[in-house]
């Protein structure tokens, strides 16, 4: 690989300065606003306490931090509240919980130049309310058309297999695994999305991807490592969008070799008139997937940890041996093959995405008039979100008799999305399906349509055969109902290829005896000690 690959110490610059953060970086306009608000209010001890708190807060901000970064990232981070939602009884989220702009406000500067939602410049379905997606969740269906499971083997698998072959080449044996995973990851990422790899990926594009993932991993905006990488993303954002746009033009014109082997080709083909999925939206989706696919790093590390010979999970290892010793790719008439069942169970217990975030509003605004902040002119905008939990729902004894056992066969006894019909909803006790079942016929030459279950879960039907998912609240790692992650089946298939490689090459994972292990940001809120490696058994 070209030596221009981003050096970890470059991307993570400032990491050593993450301790002892004291400085005079200030949000002067904010403090001035608070002072003015307190002057206009009856004097009491509360404004003094607020001012004192803000002063203490200012003293923790490093002096070199850009003023706008402090205003748009640091302050919103500390004024944001997250609430844990209920564990769903049915695999769906009510539309009252909206995906519209459901991104922690301090992260908007990573994806827009204006530090705020700018849908006129492109938007992702992951941050779009149902009412804005077109009829019958159309935007989600168009997105899903590029990752339906029938596409994986003929279009994407060879790229994934080549990636894992390179990753687990013998020359990397007994070395920290996640370090070189991140070096090669963006070759696979851009090859899947745009058909671009190796030297055709500019240094700036690699750098922004690394920096983006680093911000998500460290997350705390007061850390210099977060600040440095956040600003790298902002410096490269226009370049990245322009580069993606040019590559989409190459796909449309046929300049890209085998364009049908890219996800973006299906988005462009199935977008229709572009009203609900314009080219600028395709650009946005191509880099917003930095968030979604970054969870592959969490997942690989979680699987390696459980399969490790020292400190792993004996039940997970025994189940892997049992699964792969049989005809693991033969579903034998069931909805899922034994290997797919095994991967599903891995995701249930690892759950790399802890919850589905929704934007919520202060109920006092509608029930009691303006909120206190509005009523008293307090110059601070708060943002609140609720998370519908994945991990605790997947482990809820309401859904499973033995939720803590590792049992891939558990999914054979619960309904698939193809089985959640009007009749099934009424059998459950509902008067009707929460979501009407409709179909979207793809326009890319396949005999395929994207349909949905009664709970709103989108799935494919290809050549008359349903390709469903497990539509049960107890299987929660990919979300619920109309909000369910459209990349679920692609991700499961990727990890099936990972495990085939492990089995075929007799890969063994184990702890490395290293004097010093490096910290690696492998996914959202996940910075790990890179102390796992692999070898081959004799």
């Amino acid at each position: 690989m070209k030596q221009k690959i981003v050096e970890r110490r470059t991307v993570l610059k400032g990491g050593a300065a993450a301790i002892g953060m004291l400085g005079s970086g200030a949000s002067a306009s904010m403090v001035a606003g608070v002072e003015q608000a307190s002057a206009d209010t009856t004097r009491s001890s509360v404004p003094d306490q607020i001012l004192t708190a803000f002063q203490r807060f200012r003293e923790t901000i490093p002096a070199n931090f850009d003023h706008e970064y402090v205003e748009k990232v640091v302050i919103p981070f500390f004024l944001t509240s997250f609430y844990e939602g209920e564990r769903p009884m049915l695999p769906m989220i009510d539309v009252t919980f909206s995906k519209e702009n459901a991104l922690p406000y301090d992260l908007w500067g990573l994806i827009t130049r204006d530090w705020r939602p700018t849908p006129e410049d492109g938007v992702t379905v992951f941050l779009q309310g149902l009412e804005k997606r077109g009829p019958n969740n159309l935007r989600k269906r168009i997105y899903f058309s590029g990752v339906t499971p029938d596409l994986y083997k003929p279009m994407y698998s060879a790229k994934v297999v080549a990636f894992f072959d390179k990753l687990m080449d013998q020359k990397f044996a007994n070395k920290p695994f996640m370090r070189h995973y991140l070096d090669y990851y963006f070759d696979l990422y851009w090859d899947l999305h745009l058909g671009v790899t190796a030297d055709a990926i500019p240094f700036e594009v690699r750098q922004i991807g690394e920096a983006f993932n680093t911000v998500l991993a460290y997350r705390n905006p007061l850390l210099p490592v977060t600040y440095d990488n956040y600003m790298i993303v902002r410096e490269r954002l226009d370049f990245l969008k322009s580069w993606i746009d040019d590559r989409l033009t190459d796909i449309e014109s046929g300049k890209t070799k085998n364009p049908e082997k890219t996800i973006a080709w299906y988005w462009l083909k199935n977008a229709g008139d572009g009203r609900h999925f314009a080219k600028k939206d395709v650009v946005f989706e191509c880099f917003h997937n930095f968030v979604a696919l970054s969870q592959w790093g969490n997942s690989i590390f979680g699987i390696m940890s459980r399969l490790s010979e020292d400190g792993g999970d004996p039940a997970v290892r025994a189940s892997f041996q049992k699964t792969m010793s049989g005809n693991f790719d033969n579903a034998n008439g069931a909805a899922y093959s034994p290997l797919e069942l095994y991967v599903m169970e891995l995701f249930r217990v690892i759950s790399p995405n802890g919850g589905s975030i929704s934007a919520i509003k202060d109920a006092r605004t509608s029930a009691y008039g303006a909120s206190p902040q509005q009523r008293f002119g307090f110059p601070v905008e708060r943002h609140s979100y609720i998370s519908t939990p994945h991990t605790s729902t997947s482990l809820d004894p309401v859904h499973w008799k033995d939720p803590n056992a590792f049992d891939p066969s558990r999914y054979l006894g619960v309904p698939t999305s193809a089985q959640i019909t009007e009749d099934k909803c009424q059998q459950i006790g509902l008067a009707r399906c929460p979501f009407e079942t409709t179909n979207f016929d793809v326009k890319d030459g396949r005999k395929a349509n994207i349909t949905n279950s009664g709970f709103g879960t989108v799935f494919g039907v290809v050549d008359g055969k349903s390709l469903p998912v497990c539509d049960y609240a107890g299987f929660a790692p990919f979300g619920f109902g109309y909000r369910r992650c459209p990349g679920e089946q692609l991700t499961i298939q990727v990890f099936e290829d990972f495990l085939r490689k492990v089995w075929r090459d007799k890969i063994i994972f184990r702890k490395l005896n290293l004097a010093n292990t490096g910290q690696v940001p492998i996914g959202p809120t996940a910075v790990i000690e890179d102390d796992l490696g692999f070898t081959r058994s004799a």
Side-chain angles (χ1 to χ4, degrees), residues 119-344:
E120 64 276 11
D121 296 329
V123 69
T124 169
V125 68
F126 295 95
L127 299 175
Q128 192 175 47
L130 180 62
E131 70 281 0
K132 295 185 178 181
R133 298 181 181 182
N136 304 310
N137 206 6
L138 177 60
R139 173 69 181 273
K140 170 68 78 64
R141 294 170 194 258
I142 297 171
Y143 184 108
F144 186 65
S145 72
V147 290
T148 53
D150 61 297
L151 292 175
Y152 184 76
K153 188 172 182 179
M155 302 302 175
Y156 306 141
S157 181
K159 299 180 179 184
V160 174
V161 169
F163 169 70
F164 287 132
D165 284 343
K166 183 182 294 185
L167 198 63
M168 287 182 272
D169 187 276
Q170 182 60 28
K171 67 182 178 182
F172 294 120
N174 296 308
K175 295 181 180 179
F177 189 88
M178 296 309 299
R179 171 67 182 84
H180 71 270
Y181 164 81
L182 291 175
D183 282 341
Y184 289 110
Y185 163 72
F186 282 104
D187 285 273
L188 176 62
Y189 182 96
W190 291 117
D191 199 10
L192 287 173
H193 284 83
L194 300 173
V196 183
T197 190
D199 292 347
I201 304 173
F203 171 78
E204 295 86 350
V205 172
R206 291 186 185 276
Q207 187 183 40
I208 192 174
E210 294 260 12
F212 196 106
N213 284 354
T214 301
V215 172
L216 295 183
Y218 282 91
R219 195 65 186 89
N220 182 352
L222 284 175
L223 295 177
V225 65
T226 306
Y227 171 73
D228 290 339
N229 285 280
Y230 201 115
M231 301 310 286
I232 287 174
V233 173
R234 290 193 56 76
E235 290 168 6
R236 300 283 187 256
L237 193 55
D238 289 339
F239 179 93
L240 176 67
K241 289 184 177 181
S242 178
W243 181 78
I244 294 173
D245 190 85
D246 290 343
R247 302 294 74 75
L248 293 176
T249 298
D250 290 344
I251 290 173
E252 290 177 308
S253 68
K255 182 178 178 180
T256 300
K257 184 179 179 181
N258 299 320
E260 72 283 357
K261 293 187 176 182
T262 68
I263 296 171
W265 187 83
Y266 295 93
W267 291 342
L268 294 168
K269 284 289 183 180
N270 293 310
D273 61 9
R275 179 182 176 189
H276 299 293
F277 208 149
K279 187 179 180 182
K280 62 184 179 182
D281 299 324
V282 178
V283 171
F284 206 105
E285 296 289 12
C286 282
F287 75 85
H288 177 268
N289 272 353
F290 282 166
V291 178
L293 270 62
S294 67
Q295 295 166 15
W296 288 4
N298 301 38
S299 303
I300 284 181
F301 187 75
I303 292 172
M304 290 170 56
S305 300
R306 286 163 175 78
L307 292 178
S308 175
E309 281 201 337
D310 44 359
D313 188 318
V316 174
R317 292 174 56 194
S319 182
F320 182 59
Q321 180 74 28
K322 178 181 177 181
T323 298
M324 303 307 286
S325 295
N327 194 356
F328 53 80
D329 280 327
N330 185 2
N332 198 26
Y336 320 104
S337 71
L339 181 54
E340 186 174 1
L341 289 169
Y342 181 79
V343 175
M344 289 167 65

Side-chain angles (χ1 to χ4, degrees), residues 38-113:
S38 65
D40 294 340
T41 308
T42 301
R43 182 149 186 91
S44 70
S45 61
V46 174
D48 289 337
Q49 293 172 355
I50 293 174
L51 286 171
T52 300
F54 272 120
Q55 183 59 38
R56 289 201 308 268
F57 172 59
R58 289 176 62 188
E59 292 171 355
T60 68
I61 303 173
N64 67 308
F65 277 19
D66 179 83
H67 171 77
E68 198 168 23
Y69 176 84
V70 175
E71 291 282 351
K72 305 297 186 181
V73 180
V74 177
I75 292 172
F77 177 81
F78 284 97
L79 293 176
T80 293
S81 298
F82 277 90
Y83 304 93
E84 184 87 347
E86 66 176 350
R87 294 171 296 181
M89 294 296 101
L90 295 176
M92 57 183 298
I93 299 176
D94 187 75
V95 294
T96 303
F97 288 169
S98 176
K99 282 305 289 183
E100 183 69 14
N101 299 330
L103 179 73
Y105 214 82
D106 60 288
L107 295 180
W108 279 104
L110 286 177
I111 58 178
T112 69
R113 293 298 306 167

